[in-house]
């Protein structure tokens, strides 16, 4: 998959790209390009933003700046999906992540300030996605959330089987995962459920299914 992120802060992605699972698939199943609007702005002195018409607080990411960046990289508005990150967009869920991860090419647009000139959303983006009903200062964290969620669905990102029965997966009927425990067996009187150390795999499986169902119904 080719995933392009347009941002004003490409270096903010450094941490994410050094960590698994993103690092494990970069250059293989996932080609990630971090593109700076400022490198393609048609305006002087690297300007990318401007005052809103009609007045009001804050600055907006200009439509000509975003269009120039798309022109420079794709020769126009690309034929593939272009996702603008905005708190006003469609809410991100695992189903939406899976839908986007199935694309061969995907572009993410991150804004800062007061957001995008509305014409970016109308004419340049095909989708608008929100990572949740709250407002962040920029689209970089939302873009990183999407990059991470998409990366872990790529072949080879996770160890064998670990995505098959995790929260929201078909392996758990879309429900949440059962609880996990590791050593020590007992800590401050808090004991691991006996069934997990019983060695009876049938009972363990049944217990996990029931726990998952109970948690999903909450
Ligand atoms: C301060 S926000 C702009 C908020 C905008 N003025 C509003 O009231 O809807 C700046 C940018 O951060 C990003 N952003 C903030 N919260 C987000 C969220 N929940 N989901 C996706 N992107 C978000 C978007 O790219 C947005 O344009």
């Amino acid at each position: 998959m080719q995933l392009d992120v347009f941002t004003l802060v490409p270096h903010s992605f450094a941490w994410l790209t050094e960590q698994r699972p993103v690092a494990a698939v970069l250059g293989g199943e996932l080609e990630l390009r971090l593109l700076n609007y400022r490198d393609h702005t048609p305006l002087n002195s690297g300007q990318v933003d401007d005052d809103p018409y009609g007045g009001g607080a804050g600055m907006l990411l200009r439509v000509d700046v975003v269009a120039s960046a798309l022109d420079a990289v794709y020769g126009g508005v690309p034929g593939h999906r272009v996702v603008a990150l905005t708190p006003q967009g469609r809410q991100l869920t695992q189903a939406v992540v899976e839908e986007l991860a199935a694309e061969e090419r995907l572009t993410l647009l991150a804004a800062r300030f007061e957001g995008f000139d509305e014409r970016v959303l109308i004419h340049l983006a095909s989708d608008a996605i929100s990572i949740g009903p709250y407002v962040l200062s920029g689209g970089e964290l939302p873009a990183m959330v999407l990059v991470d969620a998409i990366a872990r669905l790529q072949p080879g990102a996770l160890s064998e089987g670990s995505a098959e029965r995790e929260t929201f997966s078909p392996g758990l009927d879309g429900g949440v995962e059962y609880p996990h425990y590791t050593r020590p067996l007992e800590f401050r009187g808090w004991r691991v459920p006996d069934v997990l150390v019983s060695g009876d795999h049938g009972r363990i499986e049944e217990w996990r299914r029931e726990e998952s169902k109970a948690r999903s119904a909450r």
Side-chain angles (χ1 to χ4, degrees), residues 1-56:
M1 179 180 191
Q2 170 81 55
L3 185 47
D4 294 336
V5 182
F6 289 78
T7 167
L8 289 168
V9 204
H11 64 266
S12 63
F13 290 74
W15 172 85
L16 177 75
T17 55
E18 286 162 8
Q19 308 297 316
R20 291 184 70 89
V22 177
V25 290
L26 280 188
E29 295 291 337
L30 187 67
E31 281 296 338
L32 177 67
R33 289 193 294 179
L34 300 168
L35 302 148
N36 195 334
Y37 298 109
R38 265 188 228 287
D39 292 341
H40 306 289
T41 178
L43 308 172
N44 292 331
S45 328
Q47 186 190 346
V48 292
D49 58 339
D50 228 318
D51 302 312
Y53 280 116

Side-chain angles (χ1 to χ4, degrees), residues 85-88 109-116 129-140 142:
L85 295 156
T86 160
Q88 303 177 22
L109 302 178
R112 292 197 76 79
F113 329 119
E114 280 302 312
F116 299 101
I129 298 272
S130 165
I131 64 158
Y134 41 80
V135 180
L136 299 167
S137 310
E140 287 68 35

